[in-house]
Amino acid sequence: MRLLTIDIGAGTQDVLLLDTAQRVENSVHLILPAPTQIAARRIGEATRAGKPLLLTGVTMGGGAVSGAVRHHIKAGLAACATLPAALTFHDDPEEVAAMGVKLISEDEARRLRGAHRVELRDLDLKAILRAVEPFTGPVALDGVAVALLDHGEAPRGMSNRLFRFQYLGRLVAERRRLERLCYLAPDIPPSLTRMLAVARSLSEPLPLLLMDTGPAAALGAGLDGRMARHPHRLCLNLGNMHTLGLHLKDGLILGLFEHHTGLLSGAKLRRVIDRFLTGELSNEEVWEDGGHGCLVLEGGKERPPVVVTGPRRHLALRAGLRAYPAAPYGDMMLTGCYGLALAWGYHRPEWAEELGRALGYRFPL
């Protein structure tokens, strides 16, 4: 089988084309700029050219895209967007209009002339295959798995930070295991608008699985041979924008916290972890510090080994943690992709045996 896994972050999108007919290490690996970085660069071209901006496509991650649009408007240039694209910046169209973005219909967008057009999307399957196929020949995929961070569509007046962690906390409390924190495309909740947009933008009728980036990285970290020997561990995913800590034991999630990486110094990260593992860290404490929240389902006095992944894993060193950098199959950047592959095997049992052989992993019967 050929499974395309894509871990979409704020800085990069990490791609693994897993082909079970060959060694995992020989599969195609790509580390590409994140879709938000690509869109922001294209928006910047309009700003530098002094041209009005037209945004079409679907809802995608904000981050660099939002910053580029704000810079464009601050430069005194016009920006307009269709509604699905505009929801990239805020769940409330009135808030988008307040930014200075004019909302227009799809018909108006088709008739508009003279504007610099940028199509927003997190998944561009055709572009990825165009990059791969000159080296591999035509690729017939059996499935696609994508990891991304979705804040969800918060009710009017509610913080998306609060909404995301309430959703994530409920999901963890109900399912308790990393491999269950994902969705096949038909099962995506209506509030997860970014995941729904990815499903709608898939250009081929392929089976699709979606997962949050933090749990995907934590699941993939377990494929590192050294960490596999420690069923009780704290997994830290230190991303460019978000830090997620997951306390794991024998496959169960004992607790989690989520913060913004940019707000964490080494010393603060150490304090957060110490208080998290003892059960003293509260949801309110993380929220009031600008993070998302904390949930402790089970506590304990035993301090587990710490495994770290993510592009800003150096923060673990600044925190003085004796943290082990996970690198399944020798590649830290693809940790989330390997987590997606495991999730695929759990949710598509018809592929579990073949996928397990390729990964050297035994899926439970």
Side-chain angles (χ1 to χ4, degrees):
M1 71 169 292
R2 283 180 167 180
L3 174 66
L4 183 67
T5 65
I6 309 168
D7 183 9
I8 299 174
T12 65
Q13 55 180 321
D14 311 320
V15 180
L16 169 68
L17 176 56
L18 182 59
D19 187 343
T20 59
Q22 59 184 335
R23 291 181 61 86
V24 171
E25 291 85 351
N26 291 338
S27 292
V28 172
H29 304 56
L30 296 171
I31 308 299
L32 302 170
T36 52
Q37 298 293 331
I38 296 169
R41 174 177 55 78
R42 292 172 178 166
I43 292 167
E45 291 170 358
T47 308
R48 290 187 292 275
K51 298 182 67 174
L53 177 66
L54 169 60
L55 300 172
T56 63
V58 297
T59 305
M60 70 178 301
V65 182
S66 299
V69 169
R70 291 183 188 279
H71 180 70
H72 183 84
I73 294 170
K74 189 176 180 179
L77 298 168
C80 55
T82 58
L83 182 59
L87 295 179
T88 294
F89 312 115
H90 201 282
D91 298 324
D92 187 345
E94 292 181 8
E95 293 290 336
V96 179
M99 285 175 56
V101 177
K102 181 182 178 181
L103 299 181
I104 63 173
S105 69
E106 299 286 349
D107 285 341
E108 289 174 306
R110 281 191 288 270
R111 295 195 301 267
L112 191 65
R113 297 292 180 267
H116 185 91
R117 294 171 179 255
V118 177
E119 183 180 5
L120 302 186
R121 58 165 61 195
D122 277 311
L123 176 63
D124 191 341
L125 181 60
K126 289 182 178 179
I128 291 173
L129 292 180
R130 282 198 303 270
V132 169
E133 288 181 337
F135 301 94
T136 64
V139 174
L141 294 173
D142 294 292
V144 178
V146 178
L148 49 77
L149 190 146
D150 194 335
H151 281 89
E153 184 178 3
R156 179 173 290 195
M158 184 179 188
S159 162
N160 66 3
R161 283 193 294 135
L162 180 60
F163 183 77
R164 169 174 164 78
F165 199 77
Q166 285 185 353
Y167 145 74
L168 194 59
R170 284 195 305 270
L171 188 67
V172 166
E174 291 168 3
R175 302 191 178 187
R176 293 297 301 271
R177 299 184 68 89
L178 290 172
E179 67 270 13
R180 298 185 64 200
L181 305 185
C182 59
Y183 301 100
L184 297 175
D187 305 323
I188 302 169
S191 62
L192 297 183
T193 52
R194 190 180 179 192
M195 288 189 179
L196 284 171
V198 166
R200 290 167 184 157
S201 62
L202 187 63
S203 55
E204 303 291 338
L206 291 165
L208 173 67
L209 178 142
L210 290 119
M211 192 172 190
D212 200 274
T213 51
L219 187 57
L223 285 171
D224 183 291
R226 180 169 170 180
M227 278 298 101
R229 298 195 295 270
H230 295 281
H232 184 200
R233 58 184 179 267
L234 171 66
C235 185
L236 285 177
N237 182 46
L238 292 160
N240 285 307
M241 295 283 289
H242 290 81
T243 288
L244 183 71
L246 283 154
H247 187 188
L248 308 168
K249 187 173 184 179
D250 298 323
L252 286 180
I253 301 171
L254 304 186
L256 76 157
F257 72 86
E258 185 171 54
H259 214 306
H260 287 110
T261 310
L263 297 177
L264 293 172
S265 64
K268 182 185 286 188
L269 178 61
R270 180 61 181 260
R271 287 196 303 272
V272 166
I273 290 171
D274 288 343
R275 290 174 58 76
F276 173 62
L277 291 175
T278 60
E280 298 173 277
L281 186 68
S282 69
N283 182 63
E284 292 74 18
E285 183 179 342
V286 178
W287 165 259
E288 290 172 3
D289 192 43
H292 284 262
C294 173
L295 173 67
V296 177
L297 297 170
E298 297 181 35
K301 295 182 179 179
E302 182 184 356
R303 190 177 183 94
V306 178
V307 56
V308 63
T309 187
R312 299 190 65 181
R313 59 198 182 281
H314 62 275
L315 265 178
L317 296 177
R318 293 184 185 174
L321 297 172
R322 296 180 62 186
Y324 174 74
Y329 310 101
D331 198 331
M332 183 282 301
M333 288 298 289
L334 294 180
T335 304
C337 292
Y338 289 120
L340 286 168
L342 278 186
W344 181 271
Y346 278 101
H347 286 264
R348 298 300 299 246
E350 67 271 26
W351 293 110
E353 183 178 353
E354 184 174 339
L355 192 58
R357 281 199 304 271
L359 295 170
Y361 180 84
R362 184 182 296 275
F363 288 95
L365 297 176

